[in-house]
Amino acid sequence: MEYIKLLLADDEPIILRGLKKLISWEPLGIRIVAEANDGTELRDLISRHEPQLIISDISMPGGSGIDVITELNEQGYSGKVIFISAFQEFGYARQAIQLGALDYLVKPINKVQLERVVGKAVSMIRETTDSERNKKMLNYYEEKNRTHTIEQLLDGLLDGDKNTMADLTQLGVIAISRYITVCVLEMDDHAHASRWEERERNLVNFAVSNIIRETMDQEPNKGKGLLVQKSGLFTILIQHEEKDYPLQLAQDLRHKIQQYLKLSVSCGVGPSLPGMEKAEETYRDALKALNNTFFIGTNQVIRFGEAITENHREYRSITELQSHVLKALTGMEKEKIEPLIKELLEQIRMQTGNNKKLALTGVYNAVMSLSQELEKFDVELEEHQRGFFEKLTECSSYADVAHEVEAVITEMQQRAASKVSGKERALLTKVKSYIEENYHSNITLESMAALVYMNSYYFSSFFKKHTGQNFKNYVTEVRMSQALKLLMETELLIYEIADRVGYNNVRHFSDMFKKKYGKVPQDYRQTFRRHDP
């Protein structure tokens, strides 16, 4: 139970002792916090203890009860005052009642009268306290509900639901401004943040939200900001007049969060656009800007359109680059591998539009394609297929992705070198290159044996030893691989594809394709395109 604080005041010590002992105060929910011996001391103790109930002599040195209650009224005091008076001071007591005193008691004080007046005071104080508490609680929940409603409406607005604008206007959160800009902030240390307990995460979110709101409130003339946590990001919708204000705000927030919380954050700033109806557009562009931290580094503020400069780099075929990497690996041209891998990764980044998910998928597919090609040389690399994509997704930057790829390629090069050596390696490379370049022609075991000056029997054994496949199956694999690319990437008819990969009989081609991929070419193409987003 919360006690009511009582202050006693009288210039006669015997009266004070009598008041303290006359009734049991604590069972009534009252605790005596101080005693005053004159008017001056009474004023000081009221200021220090803020009592809810005062029982005071009406006439004391240093100020009368009339003076005290007048001052309390001026200060907006909400507690209750009970005065003690001698019979001849009744005029003072009556005036005190008119000024707001709860009641008065005439000396000598009667226990029953004191209990009655104090009980009345307690009831009134409790009623007022409960009312204020309920009012505060109601205001708290109303504000909490209003905040939640605004966040839901903002979430919808950023997703393109323009119907929410009317409700946001009614709630008074949309300002008349020249520009609308969205900024998105993200914690950089994902690995550390993922280990946080829910309580720690909530505390960090609370602290970051407070810094954002306080920073925006410091310069209300420059812009009005609305904060919502969306998809794990701190998303700020800014209504402003000066075009560069959002960039300045984002830089200020990054600095303060690092200074006060010792946390690193990155921020994407969308373009400043006219009108609240452009909120979705600036939000999407802010996300694109933030996404570039994966490629250019974290702990930065990145404005949309200024993230990565391509320097007019020429686009090159990713398939062609993979082929060059493969030739460098099998040909033991170690000095060519590193620059080729660097170029391959850069082309994947460019051609996926700096999209993290697409870039990771492109890198994974490139490495797996190289792995599958090397298996034809009897180079076993299956372990790289297990968990490699998960490794890529755990990388915090594209530079880390490059390190993972370099490690895999280095091992590929080492294993390839241990499998194929000297003259045999050169002969096998010559055969494979010829097949890759002439798969559309009539390639026979005899013609390939003649190419490397071997008899057919020895060549067949040599080829299987170094590739793990017989010659005929290998040629079929190459042709089917090329046929699949043409089927997926061109509009060529089936008979045209068959002809381009060395089959003059369409039926035979379809049977071989179905044996390899489980469906005839036309059905495979239709199924693929039906599921293509």
Side-chain angles (χ1 to χ4, degrees), residues 127-142:
E127 184 178 349
T128 301
T129 302
D130 291 344
S131 176
E132 289 178 353
R133 185 183 293 112
N134 291 337
K135 185 177 180 181
K136 286 180 181 178
M137 188 173 292
L138 181 61
N139 290 338
Y140 167 78
Y141 282 112
E142 284 180 351

Side-chain angles (χ1 to χ4, degrees), residues 368-379:
M368 290 303 103
S369 178
L370 288 170
S371 176
Q372 290 165 9
E373 290 297 323
L374 282 173
E375 285 179 356
K376 297 173 184 177
F377 289 83
D378 198 23
V379 180

